[in-house]
Amino acid sequence: DLDLDTGSGDVDVRNCRSGRARIDTGSGRVEVSGMDCGSLAVDTGSGDVLVTGLAADEADFDTGSGEVRVDLDRMGDGRFRVDTGSGGVELRLPADASAKILADTGSGEVASDVPGAAFEKLPDDRHRLVVGDGAADVSLDTGSGSIVVGRR
């Protein structure tokens, strides 16, 4: 398992395999590249979260203020959550993704360019997107900022 905790400062993790990975920083940018894990949790009070080449069964990304970009190589059937108080959210899905996605922004647009996905606006200003059979449960939430869901 990987457990990184810092009060302040940037975190950069590259080419890592782990059953469970947790990254926690009070403030600072978090960059993850080429990680293969069962579960990944990233929490920063303030700072961008940039993830590329992630292969995970489940993941949780939380920042009080900052942009969150996640690019998935592999997506398991678990729970994937992105929550930012202020900042845009971008999620790029692998070609074989199967997910039910619920997107909510207090102020901003929700867009998707996933071919063949069912996309609908719900009465409470949230948006639902179903990709494939909808196996994974995905929640994307920002208080202020746009949400974009696409394919890699």
Side-chain angles (χ1 to χ4, degrees), residues 46-112:
S46 174
D48 294 340
V49 177
L50 308 172
V51 180
T52 57
L54 176 63
D57 297 327
E58 61 185 19
D60 188 280
F61 305 96
D62 191 350
T63 181
S65 174
E67 176 182 347
V68 179
R69 285 187 289 159
V70 178
D71 181 14
L72 293 165
D73 275 355
R74 179 182 61 79
M75 178 181 206
D77 294 344
R79 184 170 182 255
F80 290 78
R81 186 181 75 93
V82 176
D83 187 3
T84 179
S86 175
V89 173
E90 181 178 345
L91 176 65
R92 293 288 167 195
L93 303 170
D96 63 350
S98 177
K100 291 181 299 272
I101 301 168
L102 190 60
D104 187 10
T105 178
S107 171
E109 301 295 320
V110 177
S112 170

Side-chain angles (χ1 to χ4, degrees), residues 26-41:
S27 73
R29 179 183 183 111
V30 176
E31 290 189 56
V32 176
S33 170
M35 176 170 270
D36 186 346
C37 60
S39 68
L40 172 62

Side-chain angles (χ1 to χ4, degrees), residues 101-103 110 112 117-130:
I101 301 168
L102 190 60
V110 177
S112 170
F119 184 75
E120 69 177 303
K121 184 173 181 180
L122 302 174
D124 58 1
D125 287 333
R126 294 183 302 161
H127 294 76
R128 180 175 30 226
L129 176 68
V130 179

